[in-house]
Amino acid sequence: MAKPAPQRRYWLFKSEPEVYSFSDLLAERGRRTSWNGVRNYQARNLLRDEIAVGDGVLFYHSSTDPLAVVGTCRVVRAGYPDETAFDRGSPYYDEGSDRAAPRWFTVDIEAVCAFPEPVTRARMQAEPALAGMMLLRRGSRLSVQPVTAAEWRAVLRLAGVREEDA
DNA sequence: GCCAACGTTGGC
DNA sequence: GCCAACGTTGGC
């Protein structure tokens, strides 16, 4: 008997567009990138242990105007050691991480859907279905966050995007 | 620019 | 292990 397929899960990745925008992702070969440089243990644990190939990712622009979810991605490679932590020339270098015992992890994502219009934070705050969303909690700083299936669907609805296109 | 929230560091 | 000090994040 075949194993049941694991439930697809959903996440939200934050990025300052000045540093790395959704447009930058769309311009990558294969619209793919390694989500490296995350240096927070809680986020690291999600990247290393929880995020699976096929999971959906909301791409959020932080510290900008307007604050918004601008598109979706899918995970194309699950957690593996973040090479930038070993690279002395990288701004993300961490001498406490080595290949024998990597401290930081990354996943690869691929852009799936650029929203026709960004779903702004203001719009999300006005949406009852998103009342409990981690992103909207005061002081929420985690750059890799879990998103519920209901929140995922609500954001797609606000974006005017069909689930099968995201 | 302000400041609340949160994470990390380090003395004890 | 506690906790004060400090640094960073990120919305406002």
Side-chain angles (χ1 to χ4, degrees):
Chain A
M1 190 157 142
K3 251 196 235 173
Q7 186 73 33
R8 187 187 196 206
R9 293 201 285 172
Y10 304 98
W11 312 95
L12 179 142
F13 288 7
K14 285 187 204 173
S15 188
E16 298 185 23
E18 307 299 316
V19 178
Y20 192 86
S21 69
F22 194 70
S23 298
D24 292 331
L25 176 59
L26 292 176
E28 303 273 8
R29 189 157 39 88
R31 297 181 161 200
R32 291 184 181 211
T33 196
S34 172
W35 202 254
N36 54 30
V38 174
R39 296 293 178 266
N40 167 284
Y41 287 102
Q42 220 178 321
R44 185 281 307 270
N45 293 345
L46 296 177
L47 292 168
R48 186 189 58 190
D49 306 329
E50 302 293 333
I51 299 177
V53 170
D55 283 358
V57 174
L58 298 174
F59 197 108
Y60 178 75
H61 281 170
S62 67
S63 298
T64 188
D65 190 19
L67 300 165
V69 176
V70 292
T72 66
C73 308
R74 80 170 140 250
V75 176
V76 293
R77 183 178 174 189
Y80 62 99
D82 181 348
E83 285 290 321
T84 64
F86 310 136
D87 176 4
R88 286 181 180 278
S90 167
Y92 304 123
Y93 176 67
D94 177 5
E95 65 176 359
S97 185
D98 60 74
R99 285 187 169 76
R103 176 179 292 174
W104 304 114
F105 284 72
T106 182
V107 301
D108 290 356
I109 58 170
E110 177 184 327
V112 173
C113 172
F115 288 167
E117 293 292 336
V119 176
T120 63
R121 184 179 181 88
R123 190 117 178 273
M124 295 169 76
Q125 284 167 330
E127 170 55 50
L130 298 178
M133 195 173 184
M134 182 182 289
L135 177 75
L136 302 180
R137 284 215 297 264
R138 234 160 63 84
S140 168
R141 304 195 310 176
L142 199 57
S143 67
V144 172
Q145 309 183 349
V147 168
T148 68
E151 289 162 355
W152 171 265
R153 287 191 299 268
V155 171
L156 295 186
R157 182 165 45 74
L158 292 178
V161 168
R162 296 179 307 171
E163 272 188 71
E164 54 267 38
D165 294 331

